[in-house]
Amino acid sequence: MGYVPLHITLTGFKGIRSGLGRDTLTLNLDATLGDAVLVAIAGANGRGKTTLMDNLTPHLVMPSRANADGLGAFSYYDHVYLPESQKELVWSHRGRRYKTHLVFRLNGKRKTEAYLFEASGGNWKPVVLADGTAVDGKVDTYERAVSEILGPPETFFTSVFSAQGKRPLSAYKNGEIKTLLADLLGLDEVREQGARAAEVVRLLKAGLGVIRQEQGQAAETLAKLDRQIQACAGSAGKVQAAQAAKEQAARRVEDAKTHAARLESDAQASADTEKRRADLSADRARAAREQREAVARLDEEDKRVAGRQAAVDQRAAARRQEHAERRRRLETQGKALREVAARAGRVAWACRREGAAAACVEARTGRLRVAQAEVAQVDALRVQMRLCRQEMEALDREAGQLALRQADLGRRFGLTAQVPCAGTDLQGRCQLLGDAREAQALIPSVEGQLSALGERKRQALENLSTITNQLERLAGACERRNRWEQRLEAAQARQNALALLAGKEGEVHQAVETLASIERELSALPAAVAGLTEDEAAESREIAMARQRLAQDGERCAAAQQQTFDRIDAALRALPAPFNQARLTQARQAADDATRSLREAEAEALEAVRLHEQRIGLQRQADAAREQQAATDARATRVERELGNWVLLAKCLSNDGVVALDIDDAGPTFSALANDLLLACYGPRFTLEVITQTETAKGELREDFDIIVHDGLRGEAKSLKLVSGGERTWIDACLTRAIALYLAGNTGRQFGTLFCDEADGPLDPEHKRMFMDMKREVLRLGNYAREFYVSQTPELTAMADRIIDLDALACQEAEVA
């Protein structure tokens, strides 16, 4: 027996909370369903039917919430809400019991834990994979374990699980349908061998690329060596020429050194004459230095004397500047004091008016206090008026409520005569009559409350009238206060200005006195100051005499120095001409140049020998490189030959090779199963044909996949993609179930349970019943244990052997709450 779900517990799923109003849903399918074959999951829209069905499989996906074939982009975290949500599913497969336990954590960092256990001796033990790995909570390990037990999820969701929005087989691409059919036909080993062959091809291509690089490098190296050998051409002749050049350079060195030695001997003979010439030159330089020192001393003395004269002139100028500054300062002070003294009359007037201004300010302050008191009284009366009006509004509301109550009590009391039990034995137990009598007792109390409210409202009206009369008497109080505030501000400003002028009385008296003193000082100050004093004039005459003496000393020193220079120059002219050191220098330079040329010739000879030896070594390397290039070309040829073989093998083992041939062989069987289901459920109208090859425009066959629908009623044939929506729905259903039957009958991979979620939507009522017949036929032919299905058609739901009623579960939850 294949896969069968036995028990499920969902905790923290949004679909269950939204549909059933509970955090946890637990269903014991094994106990409640018994031997039921068709099981309907029923309930109103939004009850969580799809959430329940999607979780009846152990795969880590809710197929109705994922795109494509149920295995597209999906995350459980979009469908859970508790900090720790869980899914527990107990299921059986081929006589073994398993338990799936999924934990989704949302507290902080998201984390999913997936465990898979197998029943063993009354206990649950972790499932161990074929390679010895135990399922320890990691998602990838869990998915590998489920795939080892149930097979690939693609096959499961294509053959036995019809989810909402599932992509029909007619929408599959060529590569996708071949991959699916290869799995259905059990061609995994062929595809694995093809994958290994493709991997060998990839490795051979990578290796061939490396060999190509080695070939390129070898060719580049050989070309480089050829260029270097070409550059070394004629190295033997260069060695002979370099040896001849070196011998000639050695002879030039010998001749240059002999000439330089002869000139050095002549230079030694003229050494005494040069010593006398050097002494005379030193004497002349010393005399010139002494002359410069004497001139410097005379210049220093002249600067000192000039400094004394400048000091005398500076003292005289400072005295004249001080006299002018003193007169300017006195005149400035006098001008400022005259301006202050000119305000004496204004200050005297302010002193006389200061008292009257203070009295005016005091009088206006009193009038302002009286006006402010009236404004405060007006504010208090307005507050009282607002309170009275609020009280009257409250009394009106309370009176209205009492009036309504009085009317209600009157209505209830009026029922006394209308109650049919009045005057009978039942009047003591009649609730309406008792309520009427109670209303009669309450009417006087309500009338008294209304009278009291009327008295309170009359008193409030009298108070409001009194306040209104008082406000009328005080009309204009704010305007009077504002006018007196303005008058007080003007009086205070006038008083401050007068006080400021009166405070300057002492300043004016002092300015008058100081002005008289300054005018006396100015009249006593002389109009001008003399240029030099007697002492300064005597010092100036002494300075002029000193500068005259310094000029005479300078003239005498210059004459003596000129005589010394004439004597030394005459002695220098009497000496013989000096030895020409340039000739000796040139001879030495020629010897050095010849020596350098010899070294260069020796270096060139060595370079020619090295170049000749290098050419011999490069020739050996070129021979070795050619041998290596030949070996690399042989390797490349061998790899290319092997690559062609492996490419052919990979092509043969791919979807377009052996897999395509097996699919061609399985096509008739697959078509026969689908046609049997169509014949058993819908009659002989439709017949299916599976096409695996199509003809191109050139008349060649190419690998393809299409399903052709032959319509016996209309006499036409067209692709399944072109039929109507309702017809495509039941044909797709027959194809899907044919896949399941093929799995069960031809590959031995059998699932014990089928799943179908609202696949009958586009069908008309007649075809809906045929749809249910097809379900039972598939269960019979494939020896399936059960099918879970969801349908929004009540008639189809009622045709089930058992119904999981989610509406009833929701009602139970509401009664418990």
Side-chain angles (χ1 to χ4, degrees):
M1 181 63 67
Y3 172 78
V4 177
L6 303 176
H7 187 281
I8 186 170
T9 299
L10 300 178
T11 302
F13 279 76
K14 294 180 181 179
I16 300 303
R17 181 189 61 178
S18 176
L20 301 178
R22 58 172 66 181
D23 294 333
T24 301
L25 171 66
T26 300
L27 294 176
N28 190 344
L29 304 175
D30 190 25
T32 58
L33 300 182
D35 56 354
V37 175
L38 283 177
V39 178
I41 301 177
N45 289 332
R47 283 295 185 200
K49 302 185 297 297
T50 300
T51 300
L52 174 59
M53 178 172 285
D54 281 350
N55 285 284
L56 287 177
T57 72
H59 293 287
L60 272 174
V61 67
M62 294 172 63
S64 296
R65 308 300 183 185
N67 55 17
D69 54 353
L71 294 172
F74 173 77
S75 173
Y76 265 107
Y77 296 105
D78 298 333
H79 303 278
V80 296
Y81 63 92
L82 291 179
E84 184 177 290
S85 303
Q86 299 184 39
K87 169 186 173 181
E88 291 187 6
L89 176 66
V90 179
W91 48 283
S92 64
H93 185 69
R94 295 185 181 277
R96 297 184 178 182
R97 291 173 65 89
Y98 300 93
K99 182 171 75 171
T100 292
H101 187 192
L102 306 179
V103 182
F104 311 101
R105 304 186 189 278
L106 291 174
N107 47 353
K109 184 178 180 181
R110 291 182 173 183
K111 183 180 180 182
T112 301
E113 297 178 7
Y115 301 93
L116 183 61
F117 304 96
E118 181 180 0
S120 177
N123 297 319
W124 294 105
K125 294 184 179 180
V127 173
V128 179
L129 276 67
D131 59 1
T133 304
V135 179
D136 55 356
K138 296 180 180 179
V139 173
D140 57 344
T141 308
Y142 173 84
E143 291 179 333
R144 287 170 53 199
V146 173
S147 296
E148 284 188 3
I149 298 172
L150 297 180
E154 294 85 357
T155 304
F156 182 88
F157 288 110
T158 302
S159 59
V160 301
F161 199 109
S162 296
Q164 286 191 39
K166 176 184 175 181
R167 185 171 55 157
L169 287 176
S170 58
Y172 276 58
K173 297 180 180 179
N174 184 26
E176 294 175 326
I177 197 65
K178 285 186 178 180
T179 301
L180 173 63
L181 293 178
D183 179 69
L184 296 178
L185 296 172
L187 300 177
D188 292 339
E189 184 176 357
V190 174
R191 296 180 64 211
E192 289 176 1
Q193 294 295 336
R196 293 194 185 101
E199 179 66 15
V200 172
V201 169
R202 186 186 66 80
L203 294 175
L204 286 175
K205 286 182 178 180
L208 183 59
V210 174
I211 294 175
R212 295 295 188 198
Q213 292 178 357
E214 292 178 358
Q215 286 179 318
Q217 293 174 356
E220 183 179 356
T221 302
L222 188 59
K224 181 178 178 182
L225 290 173
D226 290 339
R227 289 193 299 271
Q228 291 175 350
I229 292 173
Q230 187 66 29
C232 295
S235 58
K238 292 180 180 178
V239 171
Q240 295 177 0
Q243 290 293 339
K246 183 175 71 171
E247 293 174 359
Q248 185 179 0
R251 289 194 297 270
R252 284 198 298 270
V253 169
E254 185 65 24
D255 295 341
K257 287 184 177 180
T258 301
H259 181 62
R262 185 169 59 254
L263 290 176
E264 286 179 357
S265 177
D266 294 341
Q268 289 293 331
S270 63
D272 294 338
T273 302
E274 294 303 319
K275 183 176 181 302
R276 174 60 181 165
R277 195 188 308 278
D279 292 341
L280 289 174
S281 298
D283 292 342
R284 194 178 192 286
R286 184 169 56 254
R289 185 174 62 254
E290 291 175 353
Q291 182 186 11
R292 289 193 298 272
E293 291 176 355
V295 171
R297 286 195 300 273
L298 291 174
D299 291 341
E300 186 66 28
E301 184 65 21
D302 185 65
K303 290 179 181 179
R304 187 183 65 78
V305 173
R308 288 177 61 193
Q309 182 63 45
V312 171
D313 296 340
Q314 186 176 4
R315 287 198 299 273
R319 190 166 56 253
R320 289 192 297 270
Q321 183 178 1
E322 182 181 359
H323 177 270
E325 182 65 27
R326 181 180 179 189
R327 175 176 288 280
R328 185 167 57 254
R329 186 174 62 254
L330 291 174
E331 290 176 353
T332 302
Q333 291 179 357
K335 182 179 180 181
L337 292 173
R338 287 188 189 92
E339 293 177 357
V340 174
R343 294 196 295 268
R346 184 68 178 169
V347 170
W349 174 81
C351 292
R352 292 192 302 271
R353 296 292 301 171
E354 187 177 10
C360 181
V361 169
E362 184 176 358
R364 292 184 179 182
T365 301
R367 296 300 298 272
L368 178 61
R369 283 197 292 269
V370 173
Q372 186 65 40
E374 292 179 353
V375 172
Q377 185 177 1
V378 169
D379 293 339
L381 289 173
R382 287 175 177 171
V383 172
Q384 293 178 8
M385 179 182 287
R386 184 166 59 255
L387 293 176
C388 285
R389 288 175 177 172
Q390 291 177 355
E391 182 181 4
M392 291 173 62
E393 291 175 357
L395 290 174
D396 290 339
R397 287 193 299 271
E398 188 175 355
Q401 294 174 358
L402 288 175
L404 292 175
R405 187 178 182 189
Q406 184 182 27
D408 182 63
L409 291 174
R411 180 185 58 77
R412 289 161 56 188
F413 177 69
L415 295 175
T416 305
Q418 300 177 10
V419 174
C421 61
T424 66
D425 295 337
L426 297 176
Q427 66 179 1
R429 296 192 301 272
C430 180
Q431 294 182 357
L432 292 176
L433 188 60
D435 188 30
R437 290 174 177 174
E438 181 182 358
Q440 182 183 8
L442 293 175
I443 287 175
S445 175
V446 173
E447 291 176 349
Q449 292 178 7
L450 286 172
S451 300
L453 287 176
E455 180 63 25
R456 288 172 59 188
K457 184 173 181 180
R458 184 188 62 76
Q459 184 64 35
L461 288 173
E462 291 179 357
N463 293 338
L464 182 61
S465 176
T466 302
I467 293 171
T468 303
N469 294 333
Q470 292 177 358
L471 286 174
E472 291 177 355
R473 290 195 302 271
L474 294 175
C478 293
E479 290 77 4
R480 289 193 296 274
R481 180 195 61 186
N482 294 337
R483 287 196 299 272
W484 283 113
E485 284 180 347
Q486 295 174 358
R487 293 177 181 177
L488 177 60
E489 290 175 356
Q492 288 175 343
R494 186 164 55 254
Q495 180 187 10
N496 293 335
L498 292 173
L500 182 62
L501 284 173
K504 295 181 179 180
E505 183 179 8
E507 181 183 357
V508 171
H509 290 306
Q510 184 178 2
V512 172
E513 295 175 357
T514 305
L515 180 61
S517 174
I518 288 175
E519 289 178 349
R520 289 193 297 272
E521 187 175 355
L522 280 172
S523 61
L525 192 66
V529 180
L532 294 175
T533 63
E534 295 180 359
D535 294 339
E536 291 173 347
E539 186 175 0
S540 295
R541 289 192 294 274
E542 181 181 353
I543 290 170
M545 294 174 63
R547 298 186 75 174
Q548 186 178 5
R549 288 195 301 272
L550 287 174
Q552 295 172 357
D553 291 344
E555 293 175 356
R556 288 194 297 273
C557 180
Q561 188 66 31
Q562 188 60 40
Q563 293 176 0
T564 302
F565 285 166
D566 293 342
R567 178 178 57 79
I568 294 173
D569 290 341
L572 285 173
R573 286 193 297 271
L575 292 174
F579 179 76
N580 189 358
Q581 292 291 335
R583 292 176 59 199
L584 179 59
T585 302
Q586 291 176 356
R588 290 174 178 173
Q589 182 64 36
D592 293 341
D593 291 343
T595 303
R596 187 165 53 255
S597 298
L598 177 60
R599 288 197 297 268
E600 291 176 356
E602 291 174 348
E604 290 177 358
L606 290 175
E607 178 64 21
V609 173
R610 185 192 63 78
L611 186 63
H612 184 62
E613 293 177 352
Q614 182 180 1
R615 184 178 184 281
I616 296 173
L618 290 173
Q619 190 63 48
R620 296 195 190 97
Q621 293 180 12
D623 296 339
R626 288 188 178 89
E627 294 178 0
Q628 183 179 1
Q629 186 181 30
T632 304
D633 293 342
R635 287 171 54 206
T637 303
R638 186 168 63 256
V639 172
E640 289 174 352
R641 185 168 56 253
E642 290 295 328
L643 178 60
N645 295 334
W646 282 101
V647 167
L648 179 60
L649 179 60
K651 179 68 174 178
C652 293
L653 297 179
S654 67
N655 285 344
D656 296 333
V658 175
V659 173
L661 295 176
D662 285 342
I663 292 174
D664 291 342
D665 293 339
T669 304
F670 177 65
S671 302
L673 289 173
N675 289 328
D676 289 343
L677 289 177
L678 284 172
L679 179 62
C681 302
Y682 302 113
R685 175 181 176 183
F686 294 106
T687 305
L688 303 182
E689 179 185 4
V690 177
I691 302 299
T692 58
Q693 288 184 332
T694 57
E695 185 175 352
T696 64
K698 296 180 180 180
E700 300 175 352
L701 293 178
R702 67 177 178 86
E703 295 297 328
D704 196 1
F705 184 86
D706 197 3
I707 298 173
I708 304 301
V709 180
H710 297 276
D711 190 339
L713 179 63
R714 298 173 182 170
E716 60 181 9
K718 54 186 174 181
S719 174
L720 179 59
K721 302 174 184 178
L722 304 178
V723 301
S724 65
E727 294 172 348
R728 187 165 58 244
T729 297
W730 74 65
I731 293 174
D732 270 324
C734 289
L735 287 171
T736 302
R737 294 315 182 207
I739 291 175
L741 293 175
Y742 190 91
L743 281 174
N746 293 70
T747 66
R749 185 185 301 167
Q750 184 176 11
F751 298 104
T753 307
L754 301 177
F755 302 88
C756 182
D757 190 358
E758 297 188 11
D760 61 317
L763 302 179
D764 55 41
E766 180 181 358
H767 286 94
K768 286 181 184 287
R769 290 189 295 273
M770 293 181 180
F771 189 71
M772 294 302 295
D773 295 337
M774 186 269 290
K775 290 183 180 294
R776 293 192 181 274
E777 182 68 14
V778 170
L779 292 173
R780 183 187 65 80
L781 293 175
N783 196 24
Y784 289 99
R786 180 173 297 133
E787 177 175 352
F788 292 91
Y789 72 93
V790 175
S791 175
Q792 293 297 338
T793 305
E795 292 81 4
L796 297 189
T797 302
M799 294 173 67
D801 299 329
R802 291 285 190 279
I803 298 176
I804 300 176
D805 192 350
L806 297 184
D807 288 338
L809 291 177
C811 294
Q812 293 176 7
E813 184 67 20
E815 292 175 358
V816 172

